[in-house]
Structure formats: C-alpha cells, structure tokens
Amino acid sequence: RQASATIKVKTKRRQAFVRGRFTVQQGTVRIELRGNTGTKAEVVVTPDAPGTVESMLRLNRQDNSFRLCFHPEGEVAGLKGEVFYEAR
C-alpha cells in the first residue's frame, strides 16, 4: 500500500537540494519527491532498474520539511534507499 516519509530540515533557509537513490528486490514502485509546491521529481523503480530522484525544492513552510511518497504497483518487497539533502 501507499506510504510516505516526511523529512524535517533544521534550517532557516527555505530551499533544499535533495537526491535519493532507490532499489527494490521485487515488484515496481513509483517514488515522488515533494516540496511546498508539489511533486518536483519522480522515478519508477524495478529490480532491473534502480532509480534516482533529484531536485532543488522549496521546503514546507510549517516545519521546513519535504516528503517522499511511495506508490507500489501490486506487491513490493525489499525497497531500500538513501537520501542526501542540503539546505540552500
């Protein structure tokens, strides 16, 4: 089922550069990178095709956060990823 992760950035700046790399062992998942103005990047990840999302985005005003949303297509197993971000 669909899931998301909210990442809060401790900064007074309003923008961040974000890069995420993802792999999955089984199934297909679409991953969205979202900031204050909506989806800024997305990628579809399969066992044969790892994926990367990368964008400069505006952080959410309330808590200086951005969000990763995961939309599986059917059953997915073994999703792994790493996320790098830098306030700018």
Side-chain angles (χ1 to χ4, degrees), residues 19-24 29 31 43 45-46 49-53 68 70 79-83:
R19 179 187 308 123
R21 295 185 179 133
F22 300 91
T23 61
V24 68
V29 62
I31 301 168
V43 67
V45 178
T46 66
T52 300
V53 290
L68 291 161
F70 304 94
L79 177 64
K80 291 183 183 179
E82 59 181 34
V83 177

Side-chain angles (χ1 to χ4, degrees), residues 18-86:
V18 180
R19 179 187 308 123
R21 295 185 179 133
F22 300 91
T23 61
V24 68
Q25 291 178 348
Q26 175 186 328
T28 301
V29 62
R30 181 171 52 90
I31 301 168
E32 295 179 16
L33 174 60
R34 302 188 65 147
N36 190 43
T37 57
T39 301
K40 296 297 285 184
E42 70 177 63
V43 67
V44 175
V45 178
T46 66
D48 296 329
T52 300
V53 290
E54 181 174 301
S55 183
M56 178 70 87
L57 54 80
R58 198 149 184 71
L59 297 171
N60 290 320
R61 291 181 183 157
Q62 298 158 333
D63 59 0
N64 285 343
S65 68
F66 63 91
R67 174 175 273 174
L68 291 161
C69 298
F70 304 94
H71 304 276
E73 297 175 13
E75 193 169 325
V76 173
L79 177 64
K80 291 183 183 179
E82 59 181 34
V83 177
F84 164 84
Y85 60 87
E86 178 180 72

